[in-house]
Amino acid sequence: MQRVHTITAVTEDGESLRFECRSDEDVITAALRQDIFLMSSCREGGCATCKAFCAEGDYDLRGCSVQALPPEEEEEGLVLLCRTYPKTDLQVELPYTSCRISYCDVGSFEAEVVAVNWVSSNTVQFLLQKRPDESGNRGVKFEPGQFMDLTIPGTDISRSYSPANIPNPEGRLEFLIRVLPEGRFSDYLRNEARVGQVLSVKGPLGVFGLKERGMAPRYFVAGGTGLAPVVSMVRQMREWRAPNETHIYFGVTTEPELFYIDELKSLERSMRNLQVKACVWKPGPDWEGQQGLPIDLLRQDLESNGSNPDIYLCGPPGMIDAALEVTRSHGIPGDQVFFEKFLPSGAA
């Protein structure tokens, strides 16, 4: 017989919330069941988005990636809430403020596959079209930066991805998805995805997105397919004609992995206040562009112009952690830095 325990979650700004969690379910799943949306992404122990500190209580921790939760952090009491199963009541400390928690009933809808386009050696542009609802409405609503859960047809396997486009009445959805050597959704994209197939889509989810802070410059740092929510947010800025000075720093590991460069250049041409910088970490001998990491480009600009921008980060945990060190060393206040960590599900 499964026992029910109380989870007390305390946020960075001292707010707390309580909800029930059975011993056979993880903390993130229990919160979602009660329409509480704590920060999470892969929900498979691979991305570190749901990392927290367990201050009180006993639990089982199952199936975490050592990249997302190194052994030394686990020994200190850090956990991944998506892999934390309570054995007693728990008190967990969340490393973000209460405004990043949402409370609502998330809907779902069906969407057809429109295109599966390989845009680099390991990235697919996955285009969907929402099917009309009972009222004939096709529109999709979300805040740029949020993500959606896509379920593989004929299975209960879902993965989380952020749209690269903006909300629209036509029901178009564009995802930029990294395809891994191993990974169930990667296998689906590589071998099974076909135009006309119907997927279940749940969302929108998450609280990553633009913050209104007047005319403060906005610097966006993206690693790999972390570019998708960044592009969505900048496209929204273009739609609003936001006058903020804007920079995109985008990086990949090798040249064949580069993608979306033409679209970024087009976006740059259409926004006088936007500057895009792309780089490759390990280029070949014929590469003529910037070499290094997007964090290097961010550091260079912070050192040269002395500005105090709002900074948005989206990419793997290592990139995020390194970027946070850069922002701290340049005196950027923590409440001006917003981020979304992820690892591909195959890394879990």
Side-chain angles (χ1 to χ4, degrees):
M1 182 176 179
Q2 299 299 334
R3 299 186 61 186
V4 177
H5 305 289
T6 299
I7 309 299
T8 302
V10 182
T11 61
E12 208 169 41
D13 53 349
E15 298 294 322
S16 64
L17 66 150
R18 291 177 176 82
F19 55 92
E20 293 182 344
C21 182
R22 300 192 306 266
S23 55
D24 65 341
E25 65 182 345
D26 64 83
V27 173
I28 293 295
T29 297
L32 287 170
R33 178 168 54 80
Q34 294 159 85
D35 296 333
I36 300 170
F37 295 87
L38 306 177
M39 287 184 64
S40 67
S41 184
C42 76
R43 301 209 295 276
E44 291 195 340
C47 74
T49 302
C50 64
K51 187 180 291 185
F53 174 70
C54 185
E56 296 180 13
D58 195 12
Y59 53 86
D60 284 329
L61 197 59
R62 308 174 188 173
C64 298
S65 162
V66 295
Q67 295 172 285
L69 187 68
E72 60 271 20
E73 292 188 353
E74 185 176 340
E75 290 177 7
E76 293 171 1
L78 289 168
V79 297
L80 301 183
L81 295 179
C82 72
R83 311 305 293 169
T84 300
Y85 295 78
K87 299 167 71 173
T88 66
D89 292 350
L90 300 181
Q91 179 172 314
V92 296
E93 297 176 2
L94 306 175
Y96 48 87
T97 57
S98 56
C99 67
R100 305 195 75 180
I101 301 172
S102 58
Y103 306 83
C104 62
D105 183 17
V106 176
S108 61
F109 56 89
E110 291 187 335
E112 289 187 16
V113 177
V114 174
V116 184
N117 302 320
W118 285 85
V119 293
S120 81
S121 63
N122 65 349
T123 303
V124 160
Q125 180 194 47
F126 192 46
L127 302 180
L128 300 179
Q129 171 73 59
K130 179 185 174 184
R131 284 187 159 184
D133 59 21
E134 294 177 355
S135 303
N137 176 40
R138 286 185 178 270
V140 288
K141 296 181 179 179
F142 58 91
E143 294 296 325
Q146 289 187 297
F147 63 87
M148 298 182 179
D149 285 350
L150 309 184
T151 301
I152 299 173
T155 77
D156 59 359
I157 298 169
S158 64
R159 296 291 183 267
S160 302
Y161 302 105
S162 296
N165 61 313
I166 60 175
N168 60 89
E170 297 80 21
R172 292 178 285 103
L173 287 167
E174 176 190 15
F175 299 94
L176 302 171
I177 301 174
R178 183 181 177 192
V179 178
L180 303 163
E182 297 179 3
R184 187 62 186 89
F185 209 93
S186 293
D187 288 342
Y188 164 70
L189 290 175
R190 193 165 29 234
N191 303 317
E192 305 166 29
R194 299 288 184 274
V195 172
Q197 283 181 335
V198 177
L199 283 76
S200 175
V201 181
K202 183 178 181 180
L205 297 158
V207 293
F208 188 50
L210 291 169
K211 310 299 178 184
E212 286 305 321
R213 282 189 11 89
M215 291 293 294
R218 288 169 172 163
Y219 289 9
F220 298 87
V221 184
T225 50
L227 183 66
V230 165
V231 168
S232 180
M233 288 188 279
V234 175
R235 283 173 166 164
Q236 184 71 83
M237 290 179 64
R238 179 177 62 181
E239 189 82 358
W240 291 341
R241 298 184 179 179
N244 309 63
E245 175 193 339
T246 306
H247 295 245
I248 295 177
Y249 307 96
F250 170 51
V252 296
T253 302
T254 64
E255 291 170 69
E257 297 175 8
L258 268 180
F259 64 97
Y260 230 62
I261 298 301
D262 289 343
E263 288 82 357
L264 289 174
K265 289 180 179 178
S266 175
L267 193 58
E268 187 178 40
R269 287 192 296 270
S270 66
M271 296 176 65
R272 293 184 177 181
N273 55 327
L274 172 64
Q275 184 178 58
V276 176
K277 294 184 178 180
C279 61
V280 177
W281 182 29
K282 299 178 179 179
D286 298 327
W287 172 248
E288 297 180 353
Q290 298 260 21
Q291 180 176 354
L293 301 169
I295 307 157
D296 300 328
L297 304 179
L298 171 67
R299 183 188 294 109
Q300 290 169 12
D301 279 1
L302 289 176
E303 290 174 350
S304 64
N305 60 30
S307 63
N308 185 33
D310 288 348
I311 297 181
Y312 297 80
L313 311 168
C314 192
M319 187 206 85
I320 301 294
D321 292 342
L324 290 174
E325 284 297 320
V326 170
T327 61
R328 280 192 289 266
S329 68
H330 286 81
I332 308 296
D335 61 1
Q336 291 178 219
V337 182
F338 314 98
F339 60 87
E340 190 91 297
K341 291 184 179 181
F342 69 84
L343 276 177
S345 58

